[in-house]
Amino acid sequence: METCIVEVEEFTVKGYGLKGPLSEIPSKWDVLNTEIAEEGIVAEESFGLCLAMKDGEIHYIAGVKSNLAKGLQNTEEAVVPAGKFIVAKVEGGIHAIPTAFNALMKTDGIQLRNCFSFERYVHPEGSKGYDIEVWLPIE
């Protein structure tokens, strides 16, 4: 798996939050994608933020950068703090995301920092598909 280190400035993601079982994540993406289409929002990237996980419950937001989310109702937002992340492209689709995160955590020479991880979905305007990346915060 190819990785790279990316340093980002702080940005805010706004979208549909979940505090519950992992199995409910796809329904949040369904709501987000429906709302984006109805509002005519063009987002070339979207994010799945894993804010916390405990005892099989996740605090998760499926969203877009806040500047694009003005028309979205009943949303939650979170700030992605500035800093370094180790990034890898996910091969094998959505079901391979946990495997990609696990592989990243085993990368030699990295030290995790106290921040949440996230998925980034890259879908350029006019394309029908998307790429998935996993982002893990590092020192």
Side-chain angles (χ1 to χ4, degrees):
M1 174 171 62
E2 287 187 40
T3 63
C4 64
I5 307 280
V6 178
E7 190 155 355
V8 299
E9 296 295 320
E10 174 182 290
F11 64 95
T12 302
V13 171
K14 190 172 186 179
Y16 297 95
L18 161 68
K19 289 182 181 173
L22 291 168
S23 60
E24 292 182 21
I25 291 174
S27 67
K28 296 302 174 185
W29 282 102
D30 291 343
V31 172
L32 177 68
N33 291 329
T34 298
E35 291 295 317
I36 284 175
E38 288 176 2
E39 292 292 326
I41 296 169
V42 177
E44 293 192 357
E45 60 185 351
S46 53
F47 301 88
L49 306 181
C50 178
L51 301 173
M53 193 177 314
K54 185 177 180 183
D55 301 328
E57 300 262 308
I58 189 167
H59 183 192
Y60 183 91
I61 298 175
V64 294
K65 286 191 174 175
S66 62
N67 63 312
L68 298 174
K70 290 179 178 51
L72 302 182
Q73 302 297 313
N74 302 313
T75 58
E76 188 176 333
E77 67 179 32
V79 174
V80 176
K84 288 184 186 177
F85 291 82
I86 186 167
V87 180
K89 185 176 176 181
V90 175
E91 302 294 340
I94 291 170
H95 298 294
I97 290 171
T99 302
F101 271 123
N102 288 336
L104 269 186
M105 284 188 236
K106 295 176 183 170
T107 302
D108 287 336
I110 64 164
Q111 181 181 352
L112 298 178
R113 70 182 161 96
N114 189 18
C115 179
F116 52 84
S117 59
F118 60 92
E119 306 126 36
R120 177 176 176 245
Y121 298 83
V122 183
H123 32 84
E125 187 175 0
S127 78
K128 294 190 189 240
Y130 57 88
D131 289 329
I132 306 169
E133 299 170 343
V134 290
W135 291 58
L136 196 62
I138 58 171
E139 292 293 336

